[in-house]
Amino acid sequence: MRKVFRHFAGAFAISLLPAVVAAQTTVSGQVTTEAGTGLPSANVFIEGTNLGAQADEQGRYSFTVPAARANGQQVTLTARLLGYGARTALIVLTPGTVSQNFVLAVTALRLDEIVVTGAGTSTTREKLGNVINTVDSATVRRATEPQNVVNALAGKAPNVEVRSQGGDPGSSSSVKIRGAATILGTNQPLFVVDGQPIDNTTISTDQTATAFPGTGGIVSQNRAADLNPNDIESIDILKGSSAAAIYGARAANGVVLITTKRGRSGPTRYSFQSTSTFDDVIKTMPMQLKYGHGVNGQPFVCTGVGCSAGGGENAAWGAVIPAGTPTFDHGEDIFDTGMTLDNNLSISGGNDRTSFYLSGGLTAQEGTIVGPNNKYNRASLRLKGSHQLNNQVNVGGNFSYVDTRGKYVQKGSNTSGLLLGSLRTPPDFDNRLYLDPANGLHRSYRYPRPANGSETRARGYDNPFFILNSPGNRSELGRFIGNVNMDYNPLGWLAVKYTLGGDYYNDWRLEALPQSSSSFPTGRVVRMDINNLEIDHNLIATASRSWSDNFASTLTLGQNLNSRRLRMVNVLGTALNAPAPLTLQNTLSYQPFENRTLQHIESYFAQATTDIYDQLYLTLGIRNDGFSTFGASKRRHNFPKASAAWVFTNALGNTEQTGAFSYGKLRVAYGETGREPTVYGTVNAFAQTVVFGSGYGDLINTSQSGQGGLTTSLIKGNDNLKPERSRENEYGLDLGFLDQRVDLSLTHYNKRSTDVILTSPLSAAATGYIRQFANAAVVTNRGEEIVLNLRPLQSERLSWDIGVNYGRNRNNVVSLAGAEFVNFNNEGFTGAIGSATQGVGVGVVRGLDFARCGRGLVFDFDGDGVADDIDALCRLTPGGNGSFVNGALFIGADGLPVVDPTDRVIANPNPKYSMGFSSAVRFGKLTLSGSADVRRGLEVWNGTRGILLRFGTHEETLVRERTGTFGKDWATDKYPHVAGPGAGTVAFANAIDWQNWFDGEGGGFGNTGEQFTEDAGFVKLRELSLSYTLDQDWLRDRLNFSSIDIRVAGRNLKTWTKYKGLDPEANLGGAEWLTQGTDYFNNPQTRSFVLSFSLNR
Amino acid sequence: MHTVNKYIRTTSIAALVLASAVGCKDFLSGGELSNDPNRPSAATNRQLFVGIQSNIFAEYTSELSRLSGLFTQQLFGAQSQYIPLYAYGIDENSTNGQHTALYSAGGLVDIRNLQAGATALGDFHMLGIAKIQEALLMSLGADYFGDLVYTEALQGGNPALTEQLAIYDALQVLLDEAITDLASTAVTNLGPGDGDILYGGDTDNWTALARSLKARIYLNTAEVRPAAYAQALAQARLGIQTADDDYTTVWSAGGGEENLFYQFTNVQRFGYAEPNPFFVSLIESRNDPRESVYLDANPNADTPFGSVDSPDYPQQILSADENTLIWAEAAYRGGDQVEALLQLNRYRAANGIAAGVEVGPALLREILTEKYIELFIHPQAFTDYRRTCFPNLTPVTAGQKIPGRLFYDTLERQTNPSIPAATAQPTRNDNDPANATDPFGNVCLGQ
């Protein structure tokens, strides 16, 4: 390489030779719609050069060509704007002024738009043989939670399922493209920014400190959220394997290609945008305010210092609260209005050889939880520039630095969790007084009068106000992402592109609980440092040749080298010495965990394209991947692809895209992608980190009393590991109608993922290991995608656009190496745990159900030592006709259902289909737009509800005032049919019956998870916004602004759902979880009022 | 100029092609790419011993000990999952990994590794100790799950279950071998040394432990083999004699080394388990000096438990007290009431309880009652209850039986077809039949 650089140095010198002075050429004109409206932001440039300009708000553009480069030659001038067909004109560069106007027509299908297809390649949309959905910058800004770029993908394309962990500032979002194709780890796509892969991992801070990471603790962050969305020009989503195959074994879950904004030559442009958002929780839990602390209808009396509410007494099953006694709605009192301020300044511009884009962004988010400890701040800087050294060489760089800081509140399944403590509190206890007035100690409803000396005593559950005022949970991250790139066009037909990028971050985290917190009464400090570096080298050479007017082809060869290095130190300090500070050296003992990994990739790829008669476009490609994580027995694997696109309307002679049937394209594509094995999955080793104890979190280490212990690892290594492989067929049809006023895109795909890696369960009795990494499972995803766009009105004064997308995906687990299911042991609880289950799908929740008729159950349900035939008993239902309804709830003699001891799937959170609607009406400079999301046919396990029934705080527990009978007046929506010996028997005669039922099997602490599975389908009105653009002359003359945009919007304004919990979208775990359908004291998403303006000049 | 450009072009392209074709030779393997820097690739015998020791500590004093407490009404399930567990709502998940842990990390796999390592070095002391560790672990497994994969364990395939009694018999043979190994005087005998944080590798201590364990296992089979009382008696005479030689856990207040019962009651699951009123009234009625060890008299205390839930409280795994009470019961059952009373009084003296002069059923009742109190939150309490139906507990759920065994782990059931589905598993083990009456002829209420 050194030699090459020396020659480039020679090339630099050549370019610096003084030019002959001569008169320059000014090229100017206006770009308008067919209706005559100016098209702001249109790009006008001379093909093959960096010469050009961006049109202003009236569509006017102007740029100069230096005399040295204007010598009377004829050049092609192109005007291009997203959503419009590009137009070209031939002009002659003679000194003086050349005037050229363009009229651009809307192209519904964006056929001329350049689409980035990955690894340095690009093409126009017309030639694509597969689906690539594109999200533009304006859409990113309007997203529900624009702070996290992943959320910008929500509802924008079919079968791109985005789910946010909750409304907490900084919480992660997961995105699943065309269903889950993998079982181990997550299904997150590869994120690539300007040709360079970046890290988007989600790591929960308590991952080594607790038995069930992610269920409690604080929200986790996904690292793509470090990108400033305002810097993004467009996002291309490579969904299918044929589109993503160029990324080989990293692309089985799709690829998200992000292109950042860049400068254009012409006058320097300034843009300042400011957005203020006011956030509110979408819904609060309905609470009963009538019955107070106590059990059996008796008030709990706790007046002495140090008195406490024990196991049975900690509920709101007490007496009616006397009139005049104040009550508190604990669903509401912990929330207030949050606010987000987002300010961005960008400066961009350039001349004929050099362009630059400089931006700075500042986002400050205050969450909806009361108190100072839920906030997320991001400051980012970006400088992107490019310079043309000579006619052959263009060099560029793109550097960004981001500083992210957050403060968090404990959440989820955690006796110190915010909602957990709050929603379990009886209504007659005022949580706001969280410190005892006498001694300043933490008081909670279960320990209302803390005794002196109880500094390290657990409170049962933490007072939510104690925990939201605790400053112990923080993160601070510094991240640098940058690349240098070079385009070298040594010969007319050959283009070489080189990108060398680096992504480095250091993530400092603290998750600490003060003394007297219930989960760690002596206090605890978890410190985590994550240090991640990814270096990517990508070199491609593309040769192009037009064999004739009707036949052209290209060949691209590429090499990719990639190195990922992770350094993680996690120290768990237990028992605080002094109450503060919350630092490791202030704890009495520490346990360190260190994780270091290094992964390399060495890959080669080739891609050939052929364009025949401007109507048939063929692409063939192959990537050969070598990964250090592949087993040594076969280190290299191939990932081929092929696609064809046929514009048959061109064949029919309609090249102008006019008439009732204006456009038609047929697409066929096939591709293979992969996913690499877990790092060191091939290695067999001993472990010093195995812990012994139980799932309740009581754990001891392998080493004891300073004596080092080692054990065999729980997971067996497998040196034959190879990448998971997805093979996908995709067929599609793109149609345009009525002079392209209507377009319709239909796609069907069929993806089969084989060799899917799982930690295949092993019989410990047979092998001594509990699991082994194995290429064993088969997962399929089949689906349809429909995109329909209508433009009923298009005139200068009035336009109306409507967009609809529909996606359906059927996910199935075909085989699991003989196992019926694989539990994701870290995702959920023993009673409702995430899994991959054969014949059902990935990410489905397993647990127990009540006995039902029609399952052929035979077991001893009444504990008399004799097995009972449940179906036979169903038929003997009193008053029945000797038959039963399949699935009817089996009722024992006492009127209560009984537990079916069989573990089974109890909730499937994968939607059957999803839809997105958007519409915009523009009236002059005023635009009204809205969008809605629909998700149907999915279930969520509502563990929160089960627990709140147990504690008697939920509004539903007012049912205690009446009697209840299954099948008649209790849970009839869930169980419309009942049968069995006790069918029709009154199960609950009084409040104590209800209390006992919820205390046992009928509540959240019972064994039966299924009873809390709910339909979580929803329709959400995501956004409604009104915007106005001021670009009158006085603005320019008096204020020196070219335009001012003002926008008022509401987000998540309304949700229609049957779901009884706070939010069908929130999930206990973040993007690090495959299982996205468990609700256990999750914080809901927010609804927002948005006020935004931008000043441009 | 033209030729220079051409030269530049040609060499640049050649260099680029070269750069792309060659790549680094070892870019994909070696160093941290191929070797996990986070885990060791080899383990010494002593390190394996320590790992096995930790697993034994956890198997004896974590969830199985608490389930024993719940089922024998020493504990009360006051909250969350402990409410249904207390009411006998057990399923495959209640086992909570305790079945799998018999075999995996720190279990049989490493015991066999250690036995092979000890044999390779000619270290018979380590070999004997490893055999005792095997018997400690697998006898507990057989107590709680009945038939277990044992004779065909760790040989791959779909190993068959070994009958519970056959496991006990095999372990008796193994313990005899261990006692012989520990008597070895070979110069290659190193033993676990300081890695043995309790006995420091003392062969006399381990030999006595082996004898006491043999006595316990014999006693556990006495329900179907009355002759086992005499065998238990013979072994108990040679077993652990003083509390100094008790086999206990060694905990400290350091993270990862804390008493598991403390972690459960004070740290992880505050309020889940409380002392059972039945147990509390029993111990209070007897003025037992251990009341303050087990229970906290202060109603405002953090937890209602005594020193038993402090971070460094050593939990008994096999104690001199248990050995003495096995001796007493075995003597009584063999008709030697004098010996039985002598041992009971020796036990009482060791625990600060006044001597007595009981005879007949009253003597047996005292022996069994003391053992029930002695084995507070000890897995053996539940095993004794299943054998004797003593104390004659009233089930907390009317009409239900107290469980007779635990279900195998789901993971094992899924991966080994020899293990029957949960619904097809016995509720009690064949070798441990339900008692019609308690030892005093009263109808057994819970079995």
Side-chain angles (χ1 to χ4, degrees), chain A residues 59-315:
Chain A
R60 295 192 194 94
Y61 74 93
S62 169
F63 64 93
T64 54
V65 181
R69 304 181 67 180
N71 40 24
Q73 78 272 39
Q74 193 182 51
V75 296
T76 307
L77 188 66
T78 302
R80 201 184 274 287
L81 181 63
L82 228 67
Y84 294 83
R87 285 280 183 269
T88 57
L90 292 175
I91 57 168
V92 178
L93 292 182
T94 47
T97 301
V98 178
S99 183
Q100 179 69 49
N101 292 336
F102 290 95
V103 175
L104 302 188
V106 173
T107 66
L109 295 163
R110 297 177 166 186
L111 298 171
D112 295 321
E113 179 189 330
I114 300 263
V115 185
V116 180
T117 50
T121 63
S122 60
T123 186
T124 57
R125 192 166 292 280
E126 175 157 32
K127 298 180 182 179
L128 281 177
N130 40 42
V131 172
I132 294 182
N133 293 109
T134 302
V135 180
D136 61 26
S137 60
T139 313
V140 172
R141 281 190 59 208
R142 281 207 309 268
T144 313
E145 277 175 272
Q147 291 80 19
N148 189 339
V149 68
V150 169
N151 288 322
L153 307 176
K156 301 304 179 294
N159 282 328
V160 176
E161 188 191 342
V162 173
R163 198 189 263 267
S164 172
Q165 188 180 9
D168 303 64
S171 69
S172 63
S173 290
S174 71
V175 54
K176 191 158 65 182
I177 299 175
R178 287 187 178 171
T182 191
I183 287 172
L184 196 64
T186 69
N187 273 290
Q188 300 308 297
L190 173 69
F191 277 75
V192 177
V193 177
D194 293 329
Q196 172 197 354
I198 63 154
D199 180 82
N200 180 34
T201 53
T202 303
I203 297 174
S204 51
T205 311
D206 60 351
Q207 66 160 5
T208 47
T210 53
F212 299 101
T215 55
I218 54 176
V219 291
S220 50
Q221 310 149 46
N222 66 297
R223 284 273 71 91
D226 294 332
L227 296 173
N228 180 356
N230 291 286
D231 285 345
I232 292 172
E233 174 82 38
S234 67
I235 302 175
D236 295 298
I237 310 170
L238 310 186
K239 294 158 86 171
S241 293
S242 66
I246 202 155
Y247 287 101
R250 295 185 81 178
N253 301 311
V255 183
V256 175
L257 298 174
I258 295 171
T259 306
T260 60
K261 290 175 180 165
R262 65 189 189 107
R264 292 281 180 190
S265 60
T268 303
R269 296 167 57 83
Y270 301 85
S271 177
F272 176 73
Q273 294 167 354
S274 181
T275 305
S276 308
T277 309
F278 301 89
D279 305 312
D280 227 334
V281 288
I282 226 165
K283 178 184 171 186
T284 60
M285 192 66 77
M287 309 294 279
Q288 64 89 2
L289 301 177
K290 189 169 174 187
Y291 293 88
H293 191 177
V295 287
N296 302 325
Q298 301 298 316
F300 173 66
V301 181
C302 184
T303 47
V305 170
C307 66
S308 70
E313 306 158 322
N314 55 25

Side-chain angles (χ1 to χ4, degrees), chain A residues 1 4 7-8 14 305-307 310-312 314 392 446 456-458 460-461 488 490-491 494 496 518-522 539 559 561-563 567 574 589 591 594-602 604 626-628 635-636 680 683-688 690 692-715 761-771 819-821 830 848 858-859 862-864 901-903 950 999-1001 1005-1007, chain B residues 1 4-5 7-9 11-13 15-16 19-24 27-29 32-44 46-48 50-55 57-58 62-63 66 78-85 89-93 96 98 100 103-106 109-110 113 149 152-157 159 194-195 197 250-251 253-258 260 262-264 266-272 274 299-302 399-401 410-416 422-423:
Chain A
M1 276 308 280
V4 179
H7 289 299
F8 284 143
I14 293 163
V305 170
C307 66
N314 55 25
Q392 293 172 357
R446 293 183 59 185
T456 59
R457 181 202 193 277
Y461 304 124
Y488 177 44
L491 306 162
L494 181 66
V496 178
S518 300
S519 46
F520 295 94
T522 55
L539 174 67
Q559 183 202 37
L561 300 175
N562 182 286
S563 171
R567 297 285 180 260
T574 34
S589 72
Q591 286 182 84
E594 188 177 4
N595 187 33
R596 292 189 279 160
T597 64
L598 180 67
Q599 288 157 274
H600 279 185
I601 301 171
E602 179 192 352
Y604 302 94
F627 277 55
S628 62
R635 191 69 90 186
R636 305 201 72 88
Y680 306 131
V683 180
N684 233 338
F686 285 92
Q688 62 276 76
V690 173
F692 303 101
S694 78
Y696 294 106
D698 54 318
L699 297 168
I700 57 165
N701 291 345
T702 312
S703 299
Q704 292 288 318
S705 299
Q707 296 298 322
L710 287 178
T711 66
T712 298
S713 285
L714 291 169
I715 297 177
L762 292 177
S763 160
T767 65
Y769 296 90
I770 63 166
R771 293 178 183 279
E820 183 196 336
F821 60 90
T830 47
L848 298 181
V858 178
F859 70 100
D862 46 8
D864 61 359
T902 325
D903 177 65
R950 151 66 177 81
D999 209 13
E1001 207 47 72
F1005 290 135
N1007 289 312
Chain B
M1 202 52 193
V4 171
N5 268 345
Y7 173 71
I8 292 171
R9 275 177 205 159
T11 18
S12 324
I13 295 164
L16 286 169
S20 53
V22 175
C24 298
F27 196 68
L28 297 180
S29 60
E32 223 170 89
L33 295 167
S34 304
N35 303 302
D36 187 342
N38 308 300
R39 293 183 295 164
S41 54
T44 65
R46 184 185 285 196
Q47 287 163 339
L48 288 171
V50 174
I52 297 162
Q53 181 176 254
S54 296
N55 188 29
F57 285 2
S62 180
E63 184 65 356
R66 297 187 298 261
Q79 207 181 109
S80 307
Q81 292 94 323
Y82 266 39
I83 294 172
L85 277 180
I90 58 166
D91 56 41
E92 285 184 315
N93 293 322
N96 222 313
Q98 311 295 304
T100 301
Y103 304 99
S104 60
V109 64
D110 284 321
N113 281 339
V149 170
E152 295 182 15
L154 304 180
Q155 294 165 14
D194 294 341
I197 53 181
V250 181
W251 304 128
E257 299 185 351
E258 294 156 320
L260 289 161
Y262 158 81
Q263 291 191 44
F264 184 86
N266 287 32
V267 182
Q268 300 290 348
R269 305 287 159 156
F270 186 80
Y272 276 40
E274 291 174 1
N300 295 328
D302 292 1
Q400 286 239 19
K401 303 291 181 199
T410 325
L411 203 67
E412 288 297 312
R413 197 251 301 149
Q414 263 189 33
T415 50
N416 184 358
T423 48

